[in-house]
Amino acid sequence: MNVTKSVTVKASQQHAFKVFTAGFGTWWPSSHHIGKADMAEAILEQREGGRWYERGVDGSECDWGSVLVYDPPNRVVVSWHLNGEWAYDPDPAKASEIEIRFVAEGPDVTRVELEHRHFERHGENWEAVASGVGSDGGWAGILRGYAEIAAA
């Protein structure tokens, strides 16, 4: 099973990609964090092998995964190391993947396609992960918020 979502952004492909990656902390909802402290910022390092994580208001850091593919302005793929209890699991064999593709539909319009896949790697709790990210409070709502910021 895969969760796929897409959103049309009123921005160029370059800008849509830049806001998603370099500007990750400007649009990621602060309510979506797993650290013990409130989230101060969300960070997606702009390189293959980079980290994808949150920094708490107390300076603590909490990993979410890593950057598997960084191909500006076309796509980025990250690993998702959060299990069915929304806790970090460092084992790469238990991580799902999220691929985000940026498809130019015109000079100032980009379709952003998200595919979250390999839920089976999460083991017996894979359905909790899939239903959480597949809900309106998951990727659909997150992408709508991103599109608003990217178009501003």
Side-chain angles (χ1 to χ4, degrees):
M1 176 190 166
N2 295 347
V3 169
T4 58
K5 304 292 179 186
S6 68
V7 66
T8 300
V9 179
K10 293 179 183 174
S12 69
Q13 181 188 27
Q14 290 275 98
H15 182 75
F17 185 89
K18 184 178 179 183
V19 170
F20 196 97
T21 57
F24 188 71
T26 65
W27 61 268
W28 186 263
S30 61
S31 59
H32 287 56
H33 74 94
I34 61 168
K36 290 183 172 75
D38 287 343
M39 187 174 70
E41 63 182 329
I43 300 150
L44 189 144
E45 294 180 344
Q46 299 165 65
R47 61 182 171 81
E48 207 166 291
R51 294 170 62 210
W52 182 42
Y53 65 103
E54 68 184 74
R55 183 173 294 127
V57 294
D58 63 356
S60 62
E61 293 183 352
C62 187
D63 286 333
W64 298 345
S66 60
V67 180
L68 303 174
V69 176
Y70 189 77
D71 177 23
N74 303 301
R75 70 187 187 120
V76 63
V77 181
V78 295
S79 61
W80 175 276
H81 286 261
L82 307 186
N83 62 26
E85 287 80 44
W86 306 107
Y88 180 75
D89 184 339
D91 185 351
K94 296 181 180 176
S96 54
E97 293 178 359
I98 305 153
E99 179 172 0
I100 305 96
R101 292 176 299 278
F102 300 83
V103 181
E105 292 194 332
D108 294 316
V109 179
T110 303
R111 186 175 69 254
V112 179
E113 303 170 338
L114 181 145
E115 178 185 16
H116 195 152
R117 58 186 178 238
H118 302 306
F119 291 108
E120 71 282 356
R121 295 178 182 170
H122 292 290
E124 63 185 48
N125 288 324
W126 73 268
E127 290 175 323
V129 179
S131 68
V133 301
S135 72
D136 196 56
W139 289 124
I142 290 170
L143 284 178
R144 281 194 303 271
Y146 151 76
E148 288 177 20
I149 299 295

